[in-house]
Amino acid sequence: MTWDHPVDILVTFDHDAESAFLQHENGVHRGPSYLSHGAFGAKVGMGRVLEVLDARGIPATFFVPGWVAERWPDSVRTPAQHGHEIALHGYLHEYPTAMVDAAEERMVLSRGLDALTAVAGTGIVGYRPPGSMYSNATVELLREFGFRYGSAMQDDDGPYLHPTASGRPLVEIPCHWQLCDDLFGWHSDVRMTPSQVEETWTTELEALGRYPERAYVLTLHPHQIAHPGRLAMLDRVLDRAIELGGRFRTCADMATETLDRMGR
Ligand SMILES: [Zn+2]
């Protein structure tokens, strides 16, 4: 089979390490063994996913909480040095929907951005909220901070501009749960095997090319995807995307192209 239309492929990672577990309401998840599940992403996972990407010359976007940059700086500097995009994912994986007001959310964004910039350098233009959940205040705050794009909505499968009152354009790069490695089971109740996930991701990849200007956005976590069986499955999905003629790009590049295309 071939595509009717070329598809943009965005390989994105939420590099949570222990941070997502530290926010868990169940105290068991904040104990050392659960935290080590997250630490695997920084200790072992990052090196493995970089090998997979670099072997194919695929640029990726890594969304990183500021706290993770402070705790595991090399796991953030290394993908940056390999030419991948670094973007923001909160400070300690705080959910915007759990914050009391916009002032608290602004403070957390600022703290996360400062911590991440100190390790990864300037030029951070993108944000994905922890849990991929905006609050009612998030989009306006992203404009205030000068972000170029956000990535958390599920209402399209291609990029678009958020409606704006203030004039500063903000691109949305939607990401859908079916293309997230949470399908292996972690936060969600769904627990698929690697072959079930592969079928889900490949089926969507092949069908998306029926429609013009679509984006295939994988949401992965180094601590989830880098176990060898799962990573071998990702190898096959990426090779299929290459075979089909997928156009790999970072979220920052897609946001810039979207703004150019819309004359903003
Ligand atoms: Zn996360």
Side-chain angles (χ1 to χ4, degrees), residues 165-247:
S166 59
R168 184 191 282 275
L170 183 76
V171 175
E172 177 63 29
I173 299 179
C175 49
H176 198 277
W177 282 322
Q178 70 162 338
L179 297 180
C180 178
D181 59 9
D182 208 22
L183 294 183
F184 289 119
W186 173 31
H187 282 307
S188 75
D189 294 332
V190 178
R191 289 189 186 274
M192 290 188 181
T193 65
S195 57
Q196 289 170 323
V197 175
E198 181 171 0
E199 186 187 351
T200 304
W201 290 359
T202 303
T203 304
E204 181 72 2
L205 174 70
E206 292 177 345
L208 201 53
R210 292 181 186 180
Y211 306 97
E213 297 178 4
R214 298 297 86 193
Y216 181 83
V217 183
L218 284 174
T219 300
L220 310 170
H221 300 77
H223 70 267
Q224 281 279 77
I225 197 69
H227 296 282
R230 298 173 179 187
L231 205 55
M233 181 280 290
L234 179 65
D235 278 340
R236 293 191 292 275
V237 173
L238 294 177
D239 287 342
R240 184 70 181 124
I242 291 168
E243 239 173 57
L244 286 164
R247 302 185 302 197

Side-chain angles (χ1 to χ4, degrees), residues 15-107:
H15 180 29
D16 295 339
E18 301 98 323
S19 67
F21 298 89
L22 287 167
Q23 291 293 344
H24 208 286
E25 66 273 11
N26 179 343
V28 173
H29 290 231
R30 299 194 299 271
S33 293
Y34 265 94
L35 293 182
S36 74
H37 175 40
F40 175 85
K43 284 173 68 177
V44 180
M46 182 59 76
R48 289 186 185 164
V49 301
L50 289 176
E51 278 175 16
V52 166
L53 297 168
D54 294 351
R56 293 166 176 79
I58 293 175
T61 301
F62 290 87
F63 293 94
V64 186
W67 180 89
V68 173
E70 290 172 341
R71 174 159 170 74
W72 302 97
D74 286 344
S75 77
V76 180
R77 284 192 200 109
T78 307
Q81 285 161 358
H82 286 225
H84 301 293
E85 180 195 354
I86 306 297
L88 188 62
H89 194 51
Y91 176 71
L92 187 55
H93 212 272
E94 304 88 345
Y95 298 106
T97 45
M99 293 183 197
V100 291
D101 57 15
E104 183 185 358
E105 190 171 351
R106 181 183 292 112
M107 190 188 71

